[in-house]
Amino acid sequence: MEDPNIDDGDQNRETEIAPALIAVHPAHQSVAVAVGSDLRVFNLQEGCAVTLGDGDDLDGKSSTNVHKDSIRAIRYGANNGTLFVSAGDDKLVKIWATTTWRCISTVVSEKKVSAVAIRSDGLFVCFADKFGVVYVVDTQGISGEQGSTNEKGIPILSHYCSIITSLEFSPDSRFIISADRDFKIRVSVFPKNPLDGAHEIQSFCLGHTEFVSCLAFVFGQDYPQGLLISGSGDSTVRLWDFTCGALLDTCAVGTEAGYLETDGKEGECRPAVTDLCATKDGSLVAVALQSLPGIMLLSCDISARTLSVLKVVSISEDPFIPTSLGSGSLKQFLWMVMGVSSLQGSDLASLARVRVLSGFSKSNIATLEEHKASLLDDKDIPGRELVLQKLQGTLSIEKEVLSSAAEAVKTAMRNLLIKKHYPVEKREYRKRGRNDRKNKQR
């Protein structure tokens, strides 16, 4: 007999899927895709797949399967890209040296990891868990030759049991910004000695009416410290002066894309913003939106402090709905991936489809307005078939599989980030089953 206190979501936690992620080296030297527990990296300079060296491999062999559970966050260091971080549901944070692609440190988290950030100088790595705690790791003592294992992060701030969805350092590294599923964006002063904790709150950016899904910065000569952009489950992208928490502009991207706020069905939600990616000068922002086959491009006028829709780049030949976006600062390519860690009814253990948009820069805004053929064919992307074979795992994916993947990602995001309301009896039952409660009783 089934326990009435357990719903379908509780029973299926072991098979919880994760969206595919993509990250691009700031100098466009390499591109990485994470799908499920796989980390796949391609060297764009040399035109070949990267062999990962994990210090945890007892037999000395290399594999893309460097995590034991779904990867939830990947990130290159912002300035020179010498560090790369991957983390996820296996409660491990792996720090990689991109010169050798060896794992130089493995940090153990108490909870599943939901977001990571690297300070611009590479001296500190921060990560957040699903209980709302942000930790810091000092990388200055990490050797690039021999990997260290079982390291621990130092907790520096907390969102108090709210899943942290995104984590970013400000461009000048003075602040660390954390967003959560309770609609909040917290701006904390990153102290000179972060191992003592980040206790000073600079501001809160409040205004979203659903979970905050992603953050990005735009900055220019007039605003070297940058302005903050956020995406949300409320189908909006918002522009903030994060130093004082002031909302500067709101772009209703869901409405602009032609989607109604809701179709009237109970439990149905507006299409969430899943990712944001800005050009180096901040004048152009790419937006990935659930249910949108393609991406939306926003024009950001930093001086006027406004956002406006430039155009929607449709991808109509197949149902490609990006789950993650990435771009290097030295090339005019926007890399996009769509995929999931597992898909029922498919022969593929994991699914990833990669597409590339050219002309992603300020100088080409007029070109993007005039021409629709800005999406590159597979044969024209950097690395061509070799990069697709490595990052996707296969060269061809059926349209029906892509459609199923899009629905699976949408459902998983809603289940993870939209709070469920349980009766008192079920809440008590769930508390008794929590792993942290069990560990305290031992």
Side-chain angles (χ1 to χ4, degrees), residues 84-104:
F84 179 90
V85 178
S86 61
D89 288 349
D90 60 358
K91 304 178 185 179
L92 297 179
V93 180
K94 290 181 174 287
I95 303 175
W96 306 79
T98 59
T99 52
T100 60
W101 282 105
R102 289 193 58 81
C103 180
I104 58 176

Side-chain angles (χ1 to χ4, degrees), residues 181-184 205-212 231-236 238 240 261 270 418:
R181 74 169 181 179
D182 288 320
F183 325 159
K184 299 192 306 297
C205 299
L206 304 176
H208 282 295
T209 58
E210 283 290 351
F211 58 86
V212 182
S232 168
D234 62 11
S235 288
T236 69
R238 304 189 185 221
W240 309 86
E261 291 191 356
R270 291 166 287 184
I418 295 180

Side-chain angles (χ1 to χ4, degrees), residues 30-306:
S30 59
V31 58
V33 163
V35 55
S37 58
D38 280 1
L39 179 59
R40 307 165 182 174
V41 184
F42 189 86
N43 187 322
L44 294 170
Q45 283 188 319
E46 300 179 6
C48 62
V50 169
T51 299
L52 300 176
D54 191 345
D56 292 339
D57 290 340
L58 298 179
D59 56 5
K61 296 181 180 179
S62 176
S63 169
T64 60
N65 193 229
V66 296
H67 283 267
K68 301 173 184 177
D69 206 337
S70 292
I71 299 171
R72 295 287 182 170
I74 56 176
R75 177 70 65 95
Y76 282 92
N79 278 359
N80 53 23
T82 56
L83 290 183
F84 179 90
V85 178
S86 61
D89 288 349
D90 60 358
K91 304 178 185 179
L92 297 179
V93 180
K94 290 181 174 287
I95 303 175
W96 306 79
T98 59
T99 52
T100 60
W101 282 105
R102 289 193 58 81
C103 180
I104 58 176
S105 182
T106 298
V107 181
V108 180
S109 172
E110 294 183 3
K111 308 293 181 184
K112 294 179 179 181
V113 181
S114 57
V116 298
I118 306 174
R119 204 170 79 166
S120 59
D121 57 11
L123 297 181
F124 296 98
V125 169
C126 286
F127 65 92
D129 67 21
K130 290 187 176 180
F131 266 58
V133 181
V134 176
Y135 298 83
V136 66
V137 178
D138 186 346
T139 64
Q140 297 175 78
I142 298 176
S143 170
E145 298 297 327
Q146 186 174 1
S148 58
T149 59
N150 298 322
E151 299 288 335
K152 291 283 187 179
I154 305 297
I156 58 172
L157 64 92
S158 175
H159 278 231
Y160 302 104
C161 297
S162 181
I163 296 175
I164 292 180
T165 55
S166 190
L167 199 60
E168 294 282 345
F169 277 101
S170 62
D172 59 8
S173 299
R174 291 177 55 207
F175 305 99
I176 185 164
I177 293 85
S178 47
D180 64 28
R181 74 169 181 179
D182 288 320
F183 325 159
K184 299 192 306 297
I185 301 171
R186 169 176 164 167
V187 181
S188 305
V189 175
F190 196 74
K192 292 182 179 180
N193 186 3
L195 301 183
D196 291 336
H199 306 297
E200 183 180 349
I201 298 176
Q202 176 73 15
S203 68
F204 283 99
C205 299
L206 304 176
H208 282 295
T209 58
E210 283 290 351
F211 58 86
V212 182
S213 52
C214 46
L215 301 171
F217 276 96
V218 293
F219 55 95
Q221 293 181 349
D222 295 336
Y223 292 91
Q225 70 178 8
L227 299 175
L228 180 68
I229 296 182
S230 61
S232 168
D234 62 11
S235 288
T236 69
V237 174
R238 304 189 185 221
L239 182 67
W240 309 86
D241 181 345
F242 64 92
T243 59
C244 62
L247 177 61
L248 304 176
D249 201 5
T250 299
C251 186
V253 292
T255 302
E256 294 286 351
Y259 297 101
L260 298 176
E261 291 191 356
T262 177
D263 62 5
K265 295 181 181 179
E266 184 178 355
E268 287 292 323
C269 303
R270 291 166 287 184
V273 176
T274 54
D275 204 6
L276 299 168
C277 184
T279 55
K280 183 179 180 180
D281 65 359
S283 63
L284 194 62
V285 181
V287 181
L289 185 68
Q290 283 181 343
S291 305
L292 177 64
I295 60 161
M296 179 177 288
L297 295 176
L298 304 183
S299 175
C300 179
D301 188 328
I302 298 178
S303 297
R305 307 200 293 184
T306 59

